[in-house]
DNA sequence: GACGCCCTTCTTGCATACCAGAGGGATGAT
DNA sequence: ATCATCCCTCTGGTATGCAAGAAGGGCGTC
């Protein structure tokens, strides 16, 4: 028996109500957090060799709130490794060393290959088909290497979608976080050495493995693809440091 | 030429000074964070079906600091998924659902198998030997299943050491976090169905694969071992929810 | 001129006061 | 007795003030 409610109330197949969570009222703390995170991720911190600093007071003035919610947002960002508060000195926007970037990419490879495994085991054909659709616009006459910006978008969406389709919220959260950290790096590497073309070949191979439900193959290809990026950064990532 | 300094200054092989970072002065924020995190992890939140709540004011009084550093610590813990602030209602200590625990264990399996891969590729024999030493106290006459508490310690240390030896700080940090979350669960499962004995067999197989530098084997065994725990929770983890 | 000290300034850390909203209990009507 | 309403209380959210410490510049000394 369906209850005629207009609120976000859910019902499971048994007819018992399951969850009716409301959106957690947005508070200044969370708004500041979101604004700062986006600003930091979009910031070009690697162009200058010296560190970038934030100023609590300045931020609170610019955002029109007091220092308290700003400080709480900073504390959260610090927990995620984006900034580091240096007591009485300021808030430093952290740069990742080459080593750190490589480690993050390796972790990412691990998580994403697990996602591929889970998909091969449990996802529906329709969900897997979504992945293929992402690249159907590219072919011999519309090559990734000639439309880098467009391909880069599809690329990012592929990786995000892959993890999302796995159905694991945990994998999604952890990889999203990692992705935020290595975001800037990817954009540097994708345009080099015709990596775009090889990237698409790899992706298609992953999709094919998923389509034939080849658990080990999908996992391995996914892992090797991302580890390849790690090796590339190892070789050519001297811009960092 | 060595510079006679007593401070933590390091020198690399070229003779140029490299890093001289000081410990970041402990602040109330970090102390409260550490205290709360430990308290929450050691807390028995699954014994009662209703949620556990924290009280900012009470915490600040008990810890002898003002609400400000407490709130900052809470913000950090919330970021890590240990608590959730419900505006004007209180701070809820989050319980993990069975689904969430399984997802975390799967992520852990992914990361730890990557650690195993890295070890097989790069670690020294001496480091791998450290892993074997952890279990040398157990044998036919001193069986894991008869000394569960002792074995449980060795077990935990094995997993921690494995990731540490991989040399990846990123892997270590992410897995530590996950470990904190599933800590309570492991203690419930280890004593059942003679899982301890099978656990040690698995561990030894992983170590042997590492010793013969069998990258794929070490990775696969490590992954399967932890995914086994995930399957066990899937089957018998109805205590959660 | 070079060096060292001190003081000013500017930063974050912490404490406190006040505010809005949620919950529960008392109170009143039915 | 039951139910609805109102108000009081208690919660976290935010703003603000003060203090401690770091940095840099000016000044005095050698």
């Amino acid at each position: 028996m369906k209850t005629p409610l207009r609120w976000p109330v859910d019902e499971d197949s048994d007819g018992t109500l399951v969850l009716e969570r409301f959106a957690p009222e947005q508070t200044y703390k969370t708004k500041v957090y979101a604004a700062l995170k986006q600003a930091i991720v979009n910031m070009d911190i690697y162009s200058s060799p010296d560190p970038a600093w934030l100023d609590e007071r300045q931020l609170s003035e610019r955002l029109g709130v007091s220092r308290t919610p700003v400080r709480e947002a900073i504390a959260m960002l610090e927990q995620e490794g984006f900034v580091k508060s240096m007591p009485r000195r300021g808030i430093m926007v952290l740069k990742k060393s080459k080593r750190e970037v490589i480690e993050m990419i390796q972790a990412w490879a691990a998580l994403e290959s697990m996602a591929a495994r889970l998909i091969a085991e449990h996802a529906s054909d329709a969900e897997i088909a979504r992945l293929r659709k992402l690249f159907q616009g590219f072919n011999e006459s519309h090559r990734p290497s000639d439309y880098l910006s467009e391909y880069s978008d599809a690329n990012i969406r592929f990786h995000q979608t892959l993890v999302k389709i796995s159905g694991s919220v945990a994998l999604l959260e952890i990889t999203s976080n990692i992705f935020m950290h290595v975001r800037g790096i990817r954009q540097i590497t994708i345009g080099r050495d015709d990596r775009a073309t090889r990237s698409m070949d790899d992706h298609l191979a992953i999709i094919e493995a998923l389509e034939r439900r080849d658990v080990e193959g999908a996992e391995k290809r996914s892992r090797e693809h991302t580890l390849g990026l790690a090796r590339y950064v190892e070789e050519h990532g001297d811009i960092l440091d």
Side-chain angles (χ1 to χ4, degrees), chain A:
Chain A
M1 194 170 97
K2 254 194 150 32
T3 330
L5 282 181
R6 299 167 147 271
W7 263 303
V9 170
D10 226 343
E11 221 173 328
D12 87 1
S13 46
D14 295 20
T16 52
L17 264 59
V18 275
L19 66 93
E20 44 191 296
R21 232 186 237 158
F22 285 88
E25 307 75 12
Q26 284 259 96
T27 170
Y28 278 150
K29 172 174 70 177
T30 62
K31 288 182 189 171
V32 173
Y33 166 77
L36 282 181
K37 185 164 180 175
Q38 194 185 346
I40 289 174
V41 170
N42 290 334
M43 204 171 163
D44 184 16
I45 48 175
Y46 294 101
S47 58
S48 164
D50 32 64
W53 295 88
L54 299 180
D55 181 313
E56 264 183 30
R57 227 162 218 111
Q58 187 184 324
L59 292 175
S60 66
E61 282 167 16
R62 284 220 258 169
L63 293 167
V65 297
S66 81
R67 285 177 53 215
T68 309
V70 172
R71 285 181 58 74
E72 290 168 358
I74 296 285
M76 294 192 275
L77 290 167
E78 183 168 10
Q79 193 64 19
E80 284 185 300
F82 286 107
V83 300
K84 172 125 195 67
S85 319
M86 313 286 277
R88 308 274 137 68
R89 301 189 9 99
I91 298 146
M92 188 170 56
V93 180
L94 289 179
K95 300 185 186 187
K96 287 81 193 174
S97 68
K98 181 176 156 184
R99 181 81 240 137
E100 287 169 325
V101 170
I102 291 171
E103 289 181 1
M104 284 185 177
I105 296 175
Q106 288 170 337
W108 173 23
L111 296 164
E112 197 168 287
S113 61
M114 176 60 74
R117 159 174 287 261
L118 295 176
I119 292 172
E121 287 175 343
H122 304 298
S124 70
D125 291 343
E127 284 172 320
I128 295 174
R130 281 176 55 199
L131 291 170
R132 191 173 275 283
K133 286 204 191 84
L134 291 172
F135 296 105
Q136 68 189 9
F138 298 96
N139 52 48
E140 301 302 322
S141 59
H142 192 87
R143 292 187 306 187
S145 51
D146 296 331
Y147 298 85
L148 270 184
S149 163
E150 184 185 342
Y151 178 74
S152 183
D153 286 349
N155 184 13
I156 291 173
R157 205 159 316 143
F158 172 76
H159 288 285
Q160 286 175 335
T161 308
L162 190 73
V163 179
K164 201 168 289 179
I165 289 177
S166 80
S168 169
V169 178
L171 288 181
L172 184 60
E173 283 177 356
I174 305 174
T175 52
S176 300
N177 202 339
I178 292 178
F179 210 81
M180 288 274 183
H181 279 102
V182 297
R183 201 191 214 271
I185 314 301
R186 288 190 61 78
Q187 296 181 343
I188 296 173
T189 59
I190 193 66
R192 305 230 210 133
D193 302 338
D194 198 23
R195 285 188 62 78
T197 302
R198 278 187 285 155
S199 166
M200 198 173 85
D201 292 345
D202 286 359
H203 289 176
L204 292 178
I206 294 169
I207 293 171
E208 282 159 17
L210 290 173
E211 285 170 340
R212 54 172 195 272
R213 304 290 172 172
D214 175 2
V215 176
E216 305 291 328
E219 179 184 72
K220 185 183 178 67
R221 281 176 175 74
S222 174
R223 172 166 23 85
E224 287 306 318
H225 170 61
T226 305
L227 284 182
L229 175 60
R231 278 191 294 272
Y232 187 85
V233 172
E234 176 79 65
E235 289 285 324
H236 304 87
D238 298 316
I239 321 100
L240 310 161
D241 292 332

